[in-house]
Amino acid sequence: MGHLHVYSAGSNARGQLGNGTVDDSSTFATRCVFPKSVDQDSKSMSASASQLLRPLNLLPSDNNNRCHQPINSIFPNIATGANHSLILFNSNHHLYGVGDNSRGQLTGATTATETTSFERVQLDLESDKYGYQVVDIAAAWETSYFVLRHKSLLIDDGGPNVAQETIDFSSQSPPAETRRPLISDVLVTVGSNDFGALGIGSLDPPTAVSSPSTPKGKEKISVSLSSIPSSQQHVLSFTHLLPPATKSSYLISSITTGINHVIVVLDVYSKDNPQQRPSQLVVGWGACRHGQLGPMSSPASAPPVAIRPSSKSPKSSQQPKLAPKAKPSTSKSNSPTPQPPSFIPTPILLQVKNASPVKRVGAGSQHTVLLHEDGTLTTWGSNRKNQLPSTNPPRVFDVRCTWNGTYLVKNASSSEGNNTSFDVLAIGSGEKGQLGRAAPSSSSTSSSSSSPAPPSSDLYPVDLPPTPDHRIRKLACGSEHVLLLLEKDADKTTDLYLWGWNEHGNLGLNHNQDVFTPLRLPWTRGGRIVDVWAGCGTSWLVVEEDD
């Protein structure tokens, strides 16, 4: 029975790879460094890992498969920003951070030096006084997001327990007919508030906290994140966005980030209809000049909702006053056409016209793609690089985005279930090989060819080599590179294919040349790659090993 270890490769100027150095790494040769207590805990918690390993929630399944892998997965969750990284161990809800903290993106409190090995991060709401645990994480450029759920709503394996209706959390089981969580999730945001990324309605001052660059090759800096006093940990609630005149609560189904915009999917539970399937709200904030938050910022639609503080009692303040809608102008003057705002600094409801619930969300630098449960797509934002699909292929069951591209995973056949017949379709920028195919005019057969595919205005399959009897385990998109983890149906062994931008060696292939058609990672360390992530010039592997 194996133990799980994390490996990283790529950009490391601020120690964000967590391998104890500030040197870029072009291979997955070094394990990420954690406190000794984590190593001891990981051995005990991973003793039954081989029994719990299973395909992630990315394969076709029922319509309840929304957005992310379940929070009771044994695998950790990894989120990365420009120069910082976060890891959440789902087995015990422990959070660790590494890298740049000059904007407070790891803890809320700023520090002038980075860390180069992972240190425990503890949020204020995790104390016994409040009783919350971290269940999901995300990161934008220099901002981090932590989804917290009350312990009373978590069952032993970390999964959600929505059968809680009152605050009497005694040993007595609640009535079987109650299906609504009393205590809603909360979102904690820390770090930079550029483009309103924190969601708190105010902006950072023009000058930001900066820190001196670390000399090349400098060894590990000893900074304990747990010793940093808590300060700017902002707690966001979405109660004001719930349907009025109803007693509802919500769980955060997913959070997805672009460079500076955020999309949150809420599952809303109604007390009036406790047996009813939760309704869904899609919420967003941050950068939106290119329309990446949808049509709410279009001049032809109503202006975004502005929330004003209420001076009434706390009970009524849960329904804040809204700014009056702008009256249509009757003037016939040649006034300039109203322009959409550059950013929205507070969470608002996004106008999703498709009634089918959102299953997954992909976010690039300036675009957003929603995959609905009926298989259709909603696309928002910039199309400068042709990154928005103009067609909707059938049988799509996953969507991911690089900064300037969109990737869809679809069944190649009409059969249902976790079959091994699949296509990965790509559209958008291919300047660095991100589309996984070389230019048609290129006579070179090298995977590191200098002739990239031009920006594609239509969806075409990635040039994967024949992979018979393999299922997709995970597709991960970084800034401008892609990882595809496959699992062989017969013996459950895995193969990892990588392509795209590789300036920092982030593909782990022991060089820094861009890769234009997928290459298989020659994994020789032993063990089995069971999960992958991709970040801003970084790549991450979780490996089950027998040590």
Side-chain angles (χ1 to χ4, degrees):
M1 294 185 181
H3 305 143
L4 300 179
H5 296 283
V6 182
Y7 293 82
S8 56
S11 176
N12 198 32
R14 304 301 298 273
Q16 62 264 38
L17 291 183
N19 61 11
T21 75
V22 290
D23 298 321
D24 287 2
S25 176
S26 62
T27 66
F28 296 102
T30 306
R31 292 176 181 172
C32 294
V33 181
F34 292 90
K36 291 182 178 180
S37 59
V38 176
D39 294 333
Q40 295 170 356
D41 291 344
S42 66
K43 290 181 179 180
S44 60
M45 78 178 182
S46 304
S48 59
S50 60
Q51 298 174 1
L52 293 177
L53 293 179
R54 56 189 181 278
L56 298 182
N57 232 8
L58 296 179
L59 300 173
S61 62
D62 60 40
N63 287 339
N64 291 321
N65 175 18
R66 292 183 182 175
C67 300
H68 285 314
Q69 69 184 83
I71 61 172
N72 61 340
S73 169
I74 189 173
F75 305 120
N77 190 8
I78 299 175
T80 63
N83 290 294
H84 73 288
S85 305
L86 299 160
I87 291 186
L88 172 65
F89 287 98
N90 289 312
S91 58
N92 56 15
H93 305 281
H94 286 182
L95 176 66
Y96 295 84
V98 72
D100 182 22
N101 192 42
S102 61
R103 306 292 296 273
Q105 58 263 55
L106 293 178
T107 63
T110 59
T111 55
T113 53
E114 63 269 4
T115 58
T116 60
S117 61
F118 281 94
E119 297 286 345
R120 179 76 189 278
V121 176
Q122 291 185 287
L123 304 177
D124 295 343
L125 290 181
E126 291 184 278
S127 68
D128 292 338
K129 177 180 178 181
Y130 301 105
Y132 283 87
Q133 289 186 323
V134 183
V135 296
D136 201 2
I137 56 175
W141 189 246
E142 292 182 317
T143 313
S144 298
Y145 306 88
F146 311 111
V147 177
L148 286 90
R149 184 163 297 162
H150 198 271
K151 293 178 181 179
S152 61
L153 302 180
L154 296 171
I155 56 179
D156 291 340
D157 65 356
N161 176 11
V162 298
Q164 296 284 359
E165 180 62 27
T166 70
I167 57 175
D168 179 15
F169 300 113
S170 62
S171 58
Q172 183 177 1
S173 300
E177 65 272 10
T178 60
R179 301 296 300 168
R180 168 183 169 266
L182 176 73
I183 304 176
S184 295
D185 289 348
V186 296
L187 182 68
V188 172
T189 65
V190 299
S192 164
N193 199 29
D194 295 341
F195 299 95
L198 288 175
I200 59 175
S202 60
L203 294 178
D204 285 342
T207 57
V209 177
S210 60
S211 60
S213 59
T214 304
K216 197 70 173 176
K218 187 173 181 180
E219 296 303 318
K220 176 183 176 182
I221 302 170
S222 178
V223 177
S224 175
L225 298 180
S226 61
S227 65
I228 299 173
S230 62
S231 59
Q232 300 300 313
Q233 295 181 8
H234 307 282
V235 181
L236 299 188
S237 171
F238 304 101
T239 304
H240 63 285
L241 299 176
L242 299 182
T246 62
K247 293 183 178 180
S248 302
S249 58
Y250 61 84
L251 299 179
I252 297 177
S253 173
S254 74
I255 177 169
T256 306
T257 55
I259 293 181
N260 285 302
H261 73 286
V262 187
I263 307 289
V264 172
V265 178
L266 304 178
D267 284 341
V268 181
Y269 297 80
S270 172
K271 185 177 182 180
D272 299 331
N273 297 287
Q275 294 297 324
Q276 184 179 358
R277 180 182 179 181
S279 60
Q280 188 182 81
L281 296 178
V282 182
V283 176
W285 67 93
C288 64
R289 184 167 69 89
H290 298 275
Q292 56 264 56
L293 292 181
M296 58 86 207
S297 57
S298 169
S301 64
V305 174
I307 300 172
R308 294 176 177 172
S310 173
S311 59
K312 293 184 178 181
S313 63
K315 183 176 181 179
S316 61
S317 66
Q318 294 180 2
Q319 299 178 15
K321 294 181 179 179
L322 303 180
K325 293 184 178 180
K327 296 181 179 179
S329 173
T330 58
S331 172
K332 295 184 179 180
S333 64
N334 295 323
S335 58
T337 303
Q339 296 298 312
S342 296
F343 59 88
I344 303 295
T346 54
I348 64 169
L349 292 178
L350 303 185
Q351 297 181 14
V352 183
K353 296 181 179 180
N354 191 333
S356 176
V358 174
K359 180 179 180 180
R360 300 199 190 283
V361 181
S365 171
Q366 299 172 350
H367 75 291
T368 303
V369 181
L370 310 180
L371 172 62
H372 297 270
E373 290 183 357
D374 63 3
T376 58
L377 301 174
T378 294
T379 59
W380 294 332
S382 172
N383 199 31
R384 280 183 173 182
K385 300 289 186 178
N386 297 314
Q387 62 263 54
L388 299 181
S390 59
T391 59
N392 200 140
R395 301 182 295 275
V396 174
F397 62 87
D398 193 23
V399 59
R400 303 285 162 165
C401 295
T402 57
W403 283 356
N404 295 292
T406 299
Y407 300 78
L408 305 178
V409 183
K410 66 181 289 289
N411 276 340
S413 67
S414 59
S415 61
E416 296 294 332
N418 300 341
N419 65 73
T420 57
S421 179
F422 63 86
D423 286 323
V424 178
L425 308 179
I427 189 171
S429 174
E431 298 172 357
K432 299 293 183 179
Q434 306 96 304
L435 297 180
R437 53 183 182 268
S441 60
S442 174
S443 59
S444 171
T445 59
S446 170
S447 294
S448 299
S449 165
S450 59
S451 300
S456 172
S457 59
D458 206 352
L459 286 160
Y460 289 104
V462 170
D463 288 339
L464 285 168
T467 54
D469 303 321
H470 281 71
R471 306 177 190 274
I472 289 187
R473 191 172 177 88
K474 190 169 186 181
L475 176 69
C477 288
S479 45
E480 296 291 1
H481 67 290
V482 184
L483 283 67
L484 178 66
L485 182 63
L486 303 179
E487 180 179 76
K488 195 169 184 179
D489 196 35
D491 58 8
K492 306 305 178 185
T493 57
T494 56
D495 290 318
L496 177 59
Y497 289 86
L498 318 93
W499 65 93
W501 179 57
N502 192 37
E503 179 180 350
H504 298 279
N506 35 290
L507 297 182
L509 297 170
N510 201 25
H511 63 75
N512 60 358
Q513 296 178 330
D514 298 336
V515 174
F516 295 92
T517 55
L519 284 178
R520 179 179 176 273
L521 178 71
W523 185 256
T524 59
R525 291 186 56 91
R528 184 170 82 115
I529 301 173
V530 295
D531 211 350
V532 296
W533 282 264
C536 296
T538 61
S539 298
W540 304 78
L541 312 180
V542 175
V543 181
E544 182 192 26
E545 298 176 286
D546 293 329
D547 62 357

